[in-house]
């Protein structure tokens, strides 16, 4: 039977566990999925721990990596990949581990864009459920994938266990050891459904409300205060709290804290749990 996998899930974000093993197992059973790829930023320890904990499900150890050119996901990793290198160097490091390199949400601001065609990626995420309602970004990703040779995947890109499997990739293989090769060969079917739009949080961000909690659907907490990062309607000038330089951006903490992209990468790994702290509390 085909293997149903959500290939883009964040269980942990900047030191806080959003999806624990109990929630993950319940969600996989409810959605009738065979497994997921855990693709946290800056670390793979929680993914490794979940894989050891949930032996009845397929857990692919992944990482969403901040490259100089945009986000790249590694699927099937055994070691953490350093952030801040160029995309092609990062892809080479992923391949050295026998893992797959995926250009995720390529036309989001943090994606690799048109470079996905020239990079040696194994797959392109052509449907990201978090961007599903906007349509345009996923349309461009599918359009560029049609021009190249890379395979295609779909994923939910959520930190909320209720929406695991909202979009997923069905791998046309009945052997777990063949999952990654089958994805690379394009032996997949994609199931696409968007995540709900958190309109209340978006509007409060536009209106500059303070002390907003990170949205459960796709949590992006501030590196300083832990409150929600928000999207402003127009670009504004902000001073980076680390390097002191000024930048124009639409993305900022709801309390005004701001890091430039380079400093986000530099400081992000300081805010994740070590492996012994990634053991989630369960009732």
């Amino acid at each position: 039977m085909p293997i149903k996998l959500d290939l883009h899930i964040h269980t942990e974000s900047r030191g806080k566990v959003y999806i624990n093993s109990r929630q993950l197992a319940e969600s996989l059973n409810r959605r009738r999925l065979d497994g997921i790829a855990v693709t946290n930023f800056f670390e793979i320890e929680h993914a490794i721990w979940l894989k050891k904990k949930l032996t009845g499900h397929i857990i692919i150890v992944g990482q969403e990596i901040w490259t100089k050119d945009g986000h790249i996901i590694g699927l099937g990793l055994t070691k953490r990949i350093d952030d801040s290198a160029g995309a092609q160097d990062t892809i080479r490091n992923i391949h050295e581990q026998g893992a797959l390199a995926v250009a995720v949400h390529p036309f989001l601001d943090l994606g690799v864009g048109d470079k996905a065609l020239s990079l040696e990626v194994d797959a392109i995420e052509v449907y990201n459920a978090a961007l599903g309602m906007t349509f345009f970004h996923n349309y461009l990703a599918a359009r560029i994938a049609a021009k190249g040779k890379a395979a295609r995947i779909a994923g939910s890109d959520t930190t909320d266990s209720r929406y695991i499997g909202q979009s997923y990739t069905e791998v046309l293989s009945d052997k777990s050891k063949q999952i990654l090769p089958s994805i690379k060969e394009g032996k997949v079917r994609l199931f696409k459904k968007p995540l709900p739009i958190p309109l209340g949080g978006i509007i409060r961000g536009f209106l500059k409300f303070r002390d907003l909690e990170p949205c459960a659907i796709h949590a992006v907490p501030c590196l300083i205060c832990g409150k929600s990062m928000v999207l402003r309607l127009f670009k504004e000038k902000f001073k980076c709290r680390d390097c002191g330089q000024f930048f124009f951006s639409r993305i900022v903490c709801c309390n005004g804290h701001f890091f430039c992209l380079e400093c986000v990468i530099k400081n992000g790994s300081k805010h994740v749990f070590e492996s012994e702290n990634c053991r989630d509390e369960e009732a």
Side-chain angles (χ1 to χ4, degrees), residues 65-240:
I65 305 149
W66 296 71
T67 81
K68 292 179 179 178
D69 304 292
H71 287 184
I72 295 288
I73 276 181
L75 296 177
L77 298 174
T78 56
K79 297 180 181 179
R80 189 182 79 84
I81 300 288
D82 289 336
D83 298 271
S84 79
Q88 194 55 55
D89 288 337
T90 298
I91 292 167
R92 189 177 301 111
N93 290 335
I94 291 170
H95 287 163
E96 286 175 355
Q97 296 190 33
L100 298 188
V102 182
V104 289
H105 46 65
F107 289 95
L108 195 63
D109 287 347
L110 298 174
V112 297
D114 290 331
K115 292 180 181 178
L117 274 178
S118 58
L119 294 170
E120 296 176 8
V121 294
D122 303 294
I124 295 174
E125 183 185 60
V126 299
Y127 195 87
N128 179 298
L131 302 174
M133 281 294 187
T134 64
F135 175 73
F136 187 62
H137 296 91
N138 285 332
Y139 166 76
L140 290 177
R143 185 177 178 183
I144 198 172
K147 297 179 181 179
K149 298 180 180 179
R152 307 175 186 191
I153 70 163
S156 293
D157 194 7
T158 187
T159 53
D160 191 328
S161 63
R162 294 175 298 172
Y163 297 108
I164 291 174
Q166 189 83 345
S167 291
Y168 65 91
T169 301
E170 188 176 73
V171 180
L172 304 180
S173 173
D174 57 0
K175 298 179 181 179
S176 59
K177 291 183 179 180
Q178 290 300 312
I179 289 174
L180 296 184
S182 294
I183 293 173
K184 185 175 182 178
E185 293 169 10
K187 297 178 180 178
V188 298
R189 284 196 295 257
L190 308 185
F191 292 80
K192 308 168 184 179
K193 185 178 179 181
L195 295 178
I197 298 178
L199 283 175
I202 293 172
I203 292 171
R204 286 192 289 270
F206 284 161
L207 296 177
K208 299 188 178 181
F209 279 51
R210 298 178 63 84
D211 293 323
L212 298 176
E213 292 299 324
C215 175
I217 293 175
H218 185 82
V220 186
C222 172
L223 287 170
I224 294 178
C225 67
K227 299 299 182 180
S228 182
M229 301 296 291
V230 294
L231 189 67
R232 299 296 193 213
L233 190 57
F234 301 106
K235 284 189 176 183
E236 299 178 33
K237 191 175 183 179
F238 298 102
K239 183 179 180 180
C240 177

